[in-house]
Amino acid sequence: MLLCANSNQPWNSTLPTLLLLRKCKTQNDVNQIHARIITTGLINRTSLTTKIILNFISSPHTPLIQFARYVFFTRHAFQDSRERNDPFLWNATIKSYSHGSEPLKAVTIFSYMVENGVFVDRFSFSLVLKACSRVGLVKEGMQIHGFLRKREIGSDLFLQNCLIALYLRCGCLELAQRVFDRMEKRDSVSYNSMVDGYVKCGMIDLARGLFDCIPEGEKNLNSWNSMICGYAQTEDGLKVAWELFECMPERDLVSWNSMIDGCLKNGKIEDACDLFNRMPRRDVVSWASMIDGYAKLGSINIAKDLFEKMPERDVIACNAMMAGYLQNGLFMEALGVYHYMKGECNLIPDGVTLLIVLSAIAHLGHLDEGVAIHGYIEEKEISLDGKLGVALIDMYSKCGSIENALLVFASIEERDVDYWNVMISGLAIHGLGELAFDLFMEMERVCVEPDDITFIGVLSACAHAGFVKEGLMCFEIMRRIHGVKPKLQHYGCIVDILGRAGHIQEAREIIEEMPIEPNDVIWRTLLSACNNHGNLNIGESVAMRLISLDSSNSSSYVLLSNMYAGFGMWNEVTRVRTLMKERNLKKIPGCSWIELEGVVHEFFVQDKSHPQVAEICSMLDDMSTPNSGFTCCRN
């Protein structure tokens, strides 16, 4: 934008500046406007600065909002005593904070108003209460409530409703109830807020009691929808939700979608499908709910058909389809939807999208794709706080780049327990037990409270590194210092630690003394240790126990057969192999994956299905030498 002086206007006319205000968007535009009003002296005209504030304060462009705030605080806030009786510009500025990205500052400005004797009206109070509810400032909200009660507008219906909304948003149901009970007059907003508050707190009976007491003139669609949503969440309440749904005076998309969601959550896919087909109009939530419902049942083809039939697809729909593929182990397909939404649909991925795609990449081991996603996150300056940072570290760990995982971990300033857990687990799966143990010690030093997942990672790392003493110490720290009750996974790790180190008898004693019934995984861990260390006495009895628990799992037979073979007990080997044949059991073949130019190739033991198997074996034969003992098996 270029500022041009209008020769037909006086040098100090405000008209050119006012005309240019509508065209401002960037920081450069703001700088030019600012320079013009300074050089022309127009900055001293209250009428112009007021217009600048009102034009820019609610703009979608951050530089304009910041300039409006600057003009307000430097030219208006404390300059004219007459403005102390008119909070209009103060309220506009507070709103830019309470509805924007810095709601906490709205509380600060409200405090300035009160301290400097500026008149505060009902809108001032409503805006600061909105800010308090957004950031969960219960204490400050109560102080404003107390201040409000001393004012003549303390019983204002609009402000009473704001207080109810604040307390409910902050989880203070009793305080909201107290405000509601003391209200001289209530409207539909008052009733609906309390009904919704009861529903969200799981107090469906109290919600129904209040719902039945709502005067006919105040009971509206929101009241009905809140009750339907509350009842539809449980199987016992779904019948009541149906009754309410059938007798509603009118329905909207929320009504239909709430019922569909309830049916899906309670496993009634046919009822959900019937509702979906009966809907007079559908939105993306309707389609996404059905896609998600079929995907969770494993009917991924039906989910895909629904996705393709959608008249319009947005980020929510794409996320639902991606999540469905992910849940059903179709990781390449999930990644395909991501590329489709960015390419053909030209949609901007949200946090959920990135979480799903990082999980899919982690399962596939596509490091290049993961690096590209990381680059996109950095380019868009997306925060790695919360689950996204955890997912990124997990992706790098599972794709084999533990160095990048450590770099991401180190770049995050405020790390909660989830970050430490995923990093410790990543080090564990890379066999870096010592680093994982050191990271756990660092976690203790900086006073991050570990949870049960932390100790699964640490114990697993100790098992892979052969740290018997350290593993047993961590187990005791978990129980005695942090009061974490051991779960099956923790006992499984201890059995693995002892078993790998050859302490077979001690591992068996741990299992026998467990307060929890051991599962087949723990017994199989012990059996594997018996096989590795040649302990036939314990191994044989463990194998028999496993076979009695699950006679269709081939791994127990194979481990027992291998143990017999190790001791030269060929008759027993034959007996076990014959038993497997009689029960039609086959050993699950080993499998390897190789990524080449973005394509993952899968190979099983003695697999000849690959289209280039002849070339592969030929190259392997060329690579082999008589002294290496490496030959390609063509059997």
Side-chain angles (χ1 to χ4, degrees):
M1 184 186 77
L2 296 175
L3 293 178
C4 301
N6 190 329
S7 59
N8 296 322
Q9 298 294 333
W11 72 272
N12 61 348
S13 171
T14 61
L15 186 57
T17 304
L18 292 174
L19 292 173
L20 290 168
L21 290 181
R22 303 173 189 172
K23 301 179 182 179
C24 284
K25 291 182 180 180
T26 67
Q27 184 63 53
N28 184 52
D29 298 339
V30 167
N31 292 342
Q32 292 188 61
I33 288 285
H34 195 190
R36 179 182 177 85
I37 62 176
I38 289 175
T39 55
T40 58
L42 295 175
I43 196 169
N44 296 314
R45 292 199 179 182
T46 302
S47 60
L48 178 63
T49 52
T50 299
K51 285 183 173 67
I52 288 175
I53 295 168
L54 295 179
N55 273 273
F56 288 175
I57 200 67
S58 58
S59 169
H61 305 293
T62 302
L64 275 62
I65 297 173
Q66 291 173 342
F67 184 56
R69 291 169 179 168
Y70 166 78
V71 172
F72 170 73
F73 285 115
T74 57
R75 311 304 304 180
H76 286 265
F78 307 110
Q79 303 297 318
D80 192 341
S81 60
R82 291 174 297 178
E83 292 189 0
R84 294 180 186 275
N85 297 322
D86 184 4
F88 182 69
L89 290 181
W90 283 90
N91 289 345
T93 306
I94 291 178
K95 184 178 179 180
S96 73
Y97 287 111
S98 67
H99 289 63
S101 59
E102 300 174 285
L104 192 59
K105 289 188 177 180
V107 183
T108 305
I109 298 174
F110 181 83
S111 299
Y112 287 159
M113 289 179 72
V114 176
E115 289 171 7
N116 288 276
V118 179
F119 175 72
V120 287
D121 61 10
R122 65 198 297 265
F123 296 109
S124 313
F125 278 106
S126 70
L127 292 167
V128 75
L129 289 171
K130 168 80 172 179
C132 288
S133 68
R134 285 188 62 196
V135 288
L137 298 179
V138 181
K139 184 178 178 181
E140 289 79 357
M142 292 177 71
Q143 290 175 336
I144 294 166
H145 185 184
F147 179 45
L148 183 59
R149 292 186 66 181
K150 298 177 182 178
R151 305 289 298 271
E152 292 182 1
I153 57 172
S155 59
D156 182 89
L157 179 59
F158 173 64
L159 293 177
Q160 296 290 299
N161 287 336
C162 289
L163 285 168
I164 291 175
L166 161 70
Y167 289 134
L168 289 174
R169 180 78 177 267
C170 295
C172 302
L173 184 62
E174 290 184 8
L175 293 176
Q177 177 70 67
R178 196 177 302 170
V179 174
F180 181 79
D181 290 341
R182 290 176 177 173
M183 292 175 71
E184 297 176 3
K185 183 181 179 183
R186 304 177 184 121
D187 62 4
S188 61
V189 175
S190 319
Y191 286 107
N192 290 338
S193 296
M194 287 307 302
V195 168
D196 189 58
Y198 284 133
V199 167
K200 287 178 178 174
C201 290
M203 300 178 178
I204 193 68
D205 292 336
L206 287 175
R208 182 57 187 269
L210 183 57
F211 174 80
D212 291 338
C213 293
I214 299 176
E216 279 304 315
E218 305 296 347
K219 187 181 291 186
N220 58 23
L221 194 55
N222 291 334
S223 319
W224 288 90
N225 285 341
S226 292
M227 291 307 306
I228 287 172
C229 182
Y231 277 119
Q233 299 307 304
T234 63
E235 188 173 359
D236 293 339
L238 188 58
K239 182 180 178 182
V240 182
W242 272 109
E243 292 171 355
L244 289 170
F245 182 75
E246 294 297 339
C247 66
M248 286 180 73
E250 60 175 325
R251 299 171 187 146
D252 63 0
L253 274 168
V254 175
S255 318
W256 289 92
N257 288 338
S258 295
M259 285 302 302
I260 288 174
D261 181 64
C263 290
L264 292 172
K265 284 182 177 176
N266 289 287
K268 300 187 181 298
I269 190 72
E270 296 85 1
D271 291 337
C273 187
D274 177 63
L275 283 165
F276 182 76
N277 291 331
R278 286 166 49 198
M279 291 180 75
R281 186 169 66 89
R282 302 175 186 131
D283 64 359
V284 69
V285 175
S286 320
W287 289 92
S289 295
M290 293 303 299
I291 291 168
D292 182 62
Y294 277 113
K296 284 178 177 174
L297 288 175
S299 303
I300 195 65
N301 289 331
I302 299 177
K304 180 185 176 184
D305 288 342
L306 284 168
F307 182 71
E308 291 177 347
K309 288 176 182 176
M310 289 184 70
E312 290 184 23
R313 302 179 188 97
D314 67 355
V315 174
I316 296 173
C318 291
N319 287 350
M321 193 67 246
M322 286 174 63
Y325 280 133
L326 190 68
Q327 291 160 8
N328 287 273
L330 301 171
F331 310 119
M332 285 297 293
E333 288 79 358
L335 201 54
V337 175
Y338 171 76
H339 290 304
Y340 163 77
M341 68 179 288
K342 280 195 70 183
E344 290 184 43
C345 295
N346 197 27
L347 296 171
I348 299 174
D350 62 10
V352 176
T353 313
L354 296 173
L355 283 174
I356 296 170
V357 75
L358 284 172
S359 181
I361 291 169
H363 282 91
L364 290 167
H366 284 194
L367 181 59
D368 291 344
E369 290 272 13
V371 171
I373 298 295
H374 190 184
Y376 176 83
I377 290 170
E378 290 184 331
E379 178 192 343
K380 300 299 180 182
E381 299 182 348
I382 301 170
S383 172
L384 290 177
D385 292 342
K387 293 181 180 179
L388 188 58
V390 174
L392 189 60
I393 295 169
D394 184 57
M395 180 277 295
Y396 274 128
S397 297
K398 289 178 178 174
C399 288
S401 182
I402 196 66
E403 298 84 2
N404 278 331
L406 285 165
L407 286 172
V408 174
F409 177 79
S411 71
I412 297 167
E413 295 182 5
E414 297 293 330
R415 297 187 288 256
D416 64 15
V417 68
D418 292 333
Y419 291 101
W420 294 86
N421 288 351
V422 73
M423 195 66 254
I424 288 170
S425 296
L427 292 168
I429 62 176
H430 280 264
L432 302 171
E434 188 171 352
L435 280 176
F437 188 77
D438 289 345
L439 195 63
F440 171 67
M441 291 291 104
E442 174 68 12
M443 184 180 180
E444 293 272 272
R445 189 185 68 80
V446 297
C447 300
V448 176
E449 183 67 22
D451 58 15
D452 61 316
I453 298 172
T454 312
F455 288 102
I456 291 172
V458 177
L459 292 171
S460 176
C462 290
H464 284 89
F467 293 168
V468 179
K469 187 187 298 182
E470 290 85 349
L472 294 174
M473 181 186 75
C474 284
F475 191 72
E476 291 305 309
I477 288 173
M478 176 184 76
R479 291 195 303 174
R480 300 183 186 279
I481 296 179
H482 294 284
V484 176
K485 189 176 180 180
K487 297 180 179 178
L488 271 173
Q489 296 96 318
H490 300 107
Y491 284 110
C493 289
I494 290 296
V495 170
D496 193 28
I497 289 170
L498 294 170
R500 285 172 183 260
H503 304 306
I504 307 299
Q505 183 59 40
E506 291 91 330
R508 181 169 186 169
E509 288 172 2
I510 289 286
I511 295 176
E512 291 173 346
E513 293 171 4
M514 282 171 54
I516 314 171
E517 184 70 25
N519 62 4
D520 62 319
V521 177
I522 289 180
W523 284 114
R524 199 167 289 114
T525 302
L526 180 59
L527 178 58
S528 180
C530 292
N531 182 43
N532 293 334
H533 292 279
N535 192 319
L536 181 62
N537 184 35
I538 294 177
E540 192 173 29
S541 63
V542 171
M544 294 305 175
R545 179 189 286 267
L546 273 167
I547 290 171
S548 66
L549 285 173
D550 185 4
S551 61
S552 63
N553 192 318
S554 64
S555 63
S556 305
Y557 297 86
V558 172
L559 286 170
L560 180 59
S561 173
N562 290 344
M563 268 196 299
Y564 284 141
F567 283 92
M569 301 169 67
W570 302 112
N571 290 335
E572 294 301 316
V573 171
T574 303
R575 182 179 65 82
V576 174
R577 295 290 178 176
T578 302
L579 191 59
M580 288 181 69
K581 287 182 180 179
E582 290 174 354
R583 296 179 178 179
N584 197 28
L585 299 176
K586 294 183 179 180
K587 181 181 181 294
I588 300 172
C591 180
S592 298
W593 293 270
I594 298 174
E595 181 185 351
L596 181 64
E597 296 180 352
V599 178
V600 177
H601 302 266
E602 188 177 56
F603 298 92
F604 289 95
V605 173
Q606 296 185 344
D607 181 15
K608 297 182 181 181
S609 62
H610 196 279
Q612 294 176 281
V613 64
E615 293 94 324
I616 293 169
C617 287
S618 176
M619 179 169 286
L620 289 174
D621 284 342
D622 291 341
M623 291 169 62
S624 63
T625 63
N627 296 326
S628 68
F630 177 78
T631 57
C632 178
C633 180
R634 296 176 180 273
N635 295 332

